[in-house]
Amino acid sequence: MTKTALITGATSGIGKATAIAFSEEGINLIICGRRKEALKDLQKKLEGKIRVHALSFDVRNKEEVFKAIESLPEEFRQIDILVNNAGNAHGLDPIQSGSIEDWDAMIDINVKGLLYVSKAVIPQMAERKSGHIINIGSIAGKEVYPNGNVYSASKHAVDAINKGMRIDLNEQGIRVGAIHPGLVETEFSEVRFKGDHERAKSVYEGFEPLHPEDIADIIRFVVTRPYHVNIADLLVLPTAQANSTTVHKNK
Ligand code: NDP
Ligand code: 8X3
């Protein structure tokens, strides 16, 4: 039977690449993000191959989240796959000088937003006793690096929530797993450095970073395994990266 996936953060980077990969697998899509134009463009690109419904909402706003999920038309109401991907780093500052607005953004989006969307989607999976949740964590959820403090905390929380979801949804037979990428060239650093294009670009210079399509390909593999196979936890790095602080760059 044709499946339906809801992907948060589908307007760019990993989420957008995942939407494209899923469309190639014939998976119907609910694509989410705040940028309506980007959603519309992606919808136009993918519709025809599969059915696409766009939902624009801010994951920080719980009313918006629940209203959006409740607004789904009948043919999109059964969500088989949830990709909790929306998220970003905001700033890269030592704890003593970090901005409270940046901390709020990271905790509210990466942690609370992921929980709100999950809360809106999981009950129907639990009732059907079937579903697949993929949480996008980060290497920053496995280790902490200088100035990564609160972003790392938010991704450690995603790691814990992923494990907790898997335990709590075990009896319902729901697959739960996380992908933890290292450096992927997306809009991530543009957001982290608030539009400082040169600084953002420099993060990925001198080595080949992961491309969003590399992670999307892995998510495609994860969701196309037979139902008794659950890929629970994956750390995926560019070959040039050994850990958060060891990246082999050409001089
Ligand atoms: P991008 O900045 O390219 O994409 C982030 C996505 O999240 C966008 O689609 C954005 O949509 C959405 N988003 C951000 N804030 C909100 C919000 N408040 N409400 C709804 N949607 C929101 O970055 P990536 O693709 O790299 O990031 C995707 C995930 O991967 C994140 O969770 C990130 O932490 C994680 N990750 C990224 C790595 C990297 O090196 N790039 C490495 C490890 C993990 P819009 O702006 O339209 O709302
Ligand atoms: C994104 C990767 O190393 O910038 O989660 O934290 S990193």
Coordinates of all heavy atoms in Angstrom, one line a residue, residues 139-182:
I139 N 25.8 14.7 15.4 CA 27.0 14.3 16.1 C 27.1 15.1 17.4 O 27.6 14.7 18.4 CB 28.3 14.5 15.3 CG1 29.5 13.9 16.0 CG2 28.6 15.9 14.9 CD1 30.8 13.8 15.3
A140 N 26.5 16.3 17.4 CA 26.5 17.2 18.6 C 25.6 16.6 19.7 O 25.6 17.1 20.8 CB 26.0 18.6 18.2
G141 N 24.8 15.6 19.3 CA 24.0 14.9 20.3 C 24.7 13.7 20.9 O 24.2 13.0 21.8
K142 N 25.9 13.5 20.4 CA 26.8 12.4 20.9 C 28.0 12.9 21.7 O 28.6 12.2 22.4 CB 27.2 11.5 19.7 CG 26.1 10.8 19.0 CD 25.4 9.8 19.8 CE 24.4 9.0 19.0 NZ 23.6 8.0 19.8
E143 N 28.4 14.1 21.3 CA 29.6 14.7 22.0 C 29.4 16.2 22.0 O 28.6 16.7 21.2 CB 30.9 14.3 21.2 CG 30.9 14.6 19.7 CD 32.1 14.2 19.0 OE1 32.3 13.1 18.6 OE2 33.0 15.1 18.9
V144 N 30.2 16.9 22.8 CA 30.1 18.3 22.9 C 31.4 18.9 22.4 O 32.4 18.4 22.7 CB 29.8 18.7 24.4 CG1 29.7 20.2 24.6 CG2 28.6 18.0 25.0
Y145 N 31.2 20.0 21.7 CA 32.4 20.7 21.2 C 32.5 22.2 21.7 O 31.4 22.7 22.1 CB 32.5 20.6 19.6 CG 31.3 21.1 18.9 CD1 31.1 22.4 18.6 CD2 30.2 20.2 18.6 CE1 30.0 22.9 17.9 CE2 29.1 20.7 17.9 CZ 29.0 22.0 17.6 OH 27.9 22.4 16.9
P146 N 33.6 22.8 21.6 CA 33.7 24.2 22.1 C 32.7 25.1 21.5 O 32.5 25.1 20.3 CB 35.1 24.6 21.7 CG 35.9 23.3 21.5 CD 34.9 22.3 21.1
N147 N 32.0 25.8 22.3 CA 30.9 26.8 22.0 C 29.6 26.1 21.4 O 28.7 26.8 21.0 CB 31.5 27.8 20.9 CG 32.7 28.6 21.5 OD1 32.8 28.7 22.7 ND2 33.6 28.9 20.6
G148 N 29.6 24.8 21.4 CA 28.4 24.1 20.9 C 27.4 23.9 22.0 O 26.3 23.4 21.8
N149 N 27.8 24.2 23.3 CA 27.0 24.1 24.5 C 25.5 23.8 24.3 O 25.0 22.7 24.5 CB 27.2 25.3 25.4 CG 27.2 26.6 24.7 OD1 26.2 27.0 24.0 ND2 28.4 27.3 24.7
V150 N 24.7 24.8 24.0 CA 23.2 24.7 24.0 C 22.7 23.9 22.8 O 21.8 23.1 22.9 CB 22.5 26.0 24.2 CG1 21.0 25.9 24.1 CG2 22.9 26.7 25.5
Y151 N 23.4 24.1 21.6 CA 23.0 23.3 20.5 C 23.2 21.8 20.8 O 22.4 20.9 20.5 CB 23.8 23.7 19.2 CG 23.4 22.8 18.0 CD1 22.2 22.9 17.4 CD2 24.4 21.9 17.4 CE1 21.8 22.1 16.4 CE2 24.0 21.1 16.4 CZ 22.8 21.2 15.8 OH 22.4 20.4 14.7
S152 N 24.4 21.5 21.4 CA 24.7 20.1 21.8 C 23.6 19.6 22.8 O 23.2 18.5 22.7 CB 26.0 20.0 22.5 OG 27.0 20.1 21.5
A153 N 23.3 20.5 23.7 CA 22.2 20.1 24.7 C 20.9 19.7 24.0 O 20.3 18.7 24.3 CB 22.0 21.2 25.7
S154 N 20.6 20.5 23.0 CA 19.3 20.3 22.3 C 19.4 18.9 21.6 O 18.4 18.2 21.5 CB 18.9 21.4 21.4 OG 19.7 21.4 20.2
K155 N 20.5 18.6 21.0 CA 20.7 17.4 20.2 C 20.9 16.2 21.2 O 20.5 15.1 20.8 CB 21.8 17.5 19.2 CG 21.4 18.5 18.1 CD 20.1 18.0 17.3 CE 19.8 18.8 16.1 NZ 18.6 18.3 15.3
H156 N 21.5 16.4 22.4 CA 21.5 15.3 23.3 C 20.1 15.0 23.8 O 19.7 13.8 24.0 CB 22.3 15.7 24.6 CG 23.8 15.4 24.4 ND1 24.6 16.1 23.6 CD2 24.6 14.5 25.0 CE1 25.9 15.7 23.6 NE2 25.9 14.7 24.5
A157 N 19.2 16.0 23.9 CA 17.8 15.8 24.2 C 17.1 15.0 23.1 O 16.4 14.1 23.4 CB 17.1 17.1 24.4
V158 N 17.5 15.3 21.8 CA 16.9 14.5 20.7 C 17.3 13.1 20.9 O 16.5 12.1 20.7 CB 17.3 15.1 19.4 CG1 16.8 14.2 18.2 CG2 16.7 16.5 19.2
D159 N 18.5 12.8 21.2 CA 19.0 11.5 21.4 C 18.2 10.7 22.5 O 17.8 9.6 22.3 CB 20.5 11.5 21.7 CG 21.2 10.2 21.7 OD1 20.8 9.3 20.9 OD2 22.2 10.0 22.5
A160 N 18.0 11.4 23.6 CA 17.3 10.8 24.7 C 15.8 10.6 24.3 O 15.2 9.6 24.6 CB 17.4 11.8 25.9
I161 N 15.2 11.6 23.6 CA 13.8 11.4 23.2 C 13.7 10.3 22.3 O 12.7 9.5 22.4 CB 13.3 12.8 22.6 CG1 13.2 13.9 23.7 CG2 11.9 12.6 22.0 CD1 13.1 15.3 23.1
N162 N 14.6 10.2 21.4 CA 14.6 9.0 20.4 C 14.6 7.7 21.2 O 13.8 6.8 20.9 CB 15.8 9.1 19.5 CG 15.9 8.0 18.5 OD1 15.0 7.8 17.6 ND2 16.9 7.2 18.6
K163 N 15.5 7.6 22.2 CA 15.5 6.3 22.9 C 14.3 6.1 23.7 O 13.7 5.0 23.8 CB 16.7 6.3 23.9 CG 18.1 6.2 23.1 CD 19.2 6.5 24.1 CE 20.6 6.4 23.4 NZ 21.6 7.2 24.0
G164 N 13.8 7.2 24.3 CA 12.5 7.1 25.1 C 11.3 6.7 24.3 O 10.5 5.9 24.7
M165 N 11.2 7.3 23.1 CA 10.1 7.0 22.2 C 10.2 5.5 21.8 O 9.1 4.8 21.8 CB 10.3 7.8 20.8 CG 9.8 9.2 20.9 SD 10.0 9.8 19.1 CE 9.4 11.4 19.4
R166 N 11.4 5.0 21.5 CA 11.5 3.6 21.1 C 11.0 2.6 22.2 O 10.4 1.6 22.0 CB 12.9 3.3 20.7 CG 13.1 1.9 20.0 CD 14.3 1.8 19.2 NE 15.5 2.0 20.0 CZ 16.4 3.0 19.8 NH1 16.2 3.9 18.9 NH2 17.4 3.1 20.6
I167 N 11.3 3.0 23.5 CA 10.9 2.2 24.6 C 9.4 2.2 24.7 O 8.7 1.2 24.8 CB 11.6 2.6 25.9 CG1 13.1 2.4 25.8 CG2 11.0 1.9 27.1 CD1 13.9 3.2 26.9
D168 N 8.8 3.5 24.7 CA 7.4 3.7 25.0 C 6.5 3.1 23.9 O 5.4 2.7 24.1 CB 7.1 5.1 25.3 CG 7.8 5.7 26.5 OD1 8.3 4.8 27.3 OD2 7.9 6.9 26.7
L169 N 7.0 3.1 22.7 CA 6.2 2.7 21.5 C 6.5 1.3 21.1 O 6.1 0.8 20.1 CB 6.4 3.7 20.4 CG 6.0 5.1 20.7 CD1 6.4 6.1 19.6 CD2 4.5 5.2 20.9
N170 N 7.3 0.6 21.9 CA 7.7 -0.8 21.6 C 6.5 -1.7 21.5 O 6.4 -2.5 20.6 CB 8.7 -1.2 22.7 CG 9.1 -2.7 22.6 OD1 8.6 -3.5 23.3 ND2 9.9 -3.0 21.6
E171 N 5.6 -1.6 22.5 CA 4.4 -2.5 22.5 C 3.5 -2.2 21.3 O 2.8 -3.1 20.9 CB 3.6 -2.3 23.8 CG 4.1 -3.2 24.9 CD 3.2 -3.2 26.1 OE1 2.0 -2.9 25.9 OE2 3.7 -3.5 27.2
Q172 N 3.6 -1.0 20.8 CA 2.7 -0.7 19.6 C 3.4 -1.1 18.3 O 2.8 -0.9 17.3 CB 2.4 0.8 19.6 CG 1.3 1.3 20.6 CD 1.8 1.4 22.0 OE1 3.0 1.5 22.3 NE2 0.8 1.2 22.9
G173 N 4.6 -1.6 18.4 CA 5.2 -2.0 17.2 C 5.7 -0.9 16.3 O 5.8 -1.1 15.0
I174 N 5.9 0.3 16.8 CA 6.3 1.4 16.0 C 7.8 1.5 15.9 O 8.5 1.3 16.9 CB 5.7 2.7 16.6 CG1 4.2 2.7 16.5 CG2 6.3 4.0 15.9 CD1 3.5 3.8 17.2
R175 N 8.3 1.6 14.7 CA 9.8 1.7 14.5 C 10.2 3.2 14.9 O 9.6 4.1 14.4 CB 10.2 1.5 13.1 CG 9.9 0.0 12.7 CD 10.6 -0.3 11.4 NE 9.9 0.1 10.2 CZ 10.3 -0.2 9.0 NH1 11.4 -0.9 8.8 NH2 9.6 0.2 7.9
V176 N 11.3 3.3 15.7 CA 11.8 4.6 16.0 C 13.3 4.5 15.9 O 14.0 3.6 16.5 CB 11.4 5.0 17.5 CG1 12.0 6.4 17.8 CG2 9.9 5.0 17.7
G177 N 13.9 5.5 15.2 CA 15.3 5.5 15.1 C 15.8 6.9 14.8 O 15.0 7.8 14.4
A178 N 17.1 7.1 15.0 CA 17.7 8.5 14.8 C 18.9 8.4 13.8 O 19.6 7.4 13.8 CB 18.2 9.1 16.1
I179 N 19.0 9.4 13.1 CA 20.2 9.6 12.2 C 21.0 10.8 12.8 O 20.3 11.8 13.0 CB 19.9 9.9 10.7 CG1 18.7 9.0 10.2 CG2 21.1 9.9 9.9 CD1 19.1 7.6 9.9
H180 N 22.2 10.6 13.0 CA 23.0 11.7 13.6 C 24.1 12.1 12.6 O 25.2 11.5 12.6 CB 23.7 11.2 14.9 CG 22.7 10.8 15.9 ND1 22.0 11.7 16.8 CD2 22.2 9.6 16.3 CE1 21.2 11.0 17.6 NE2 21.3 9.7 17.3
P181 N 23.9 13.1 11.8 CA 24.9 13.5 10.9 C 26.0 14.4 11.5 O 25.8 15.1 12.5 CB 24.1 14.4 9.8 CG 22.7 14.2 10.2 CD 22.6 13.9 11.6
G182 N 27.2 14.3 10.8 CA 28.3 15.3 11.1 C 28.0 16.5 10.1 O 26.9 16.9 9.9

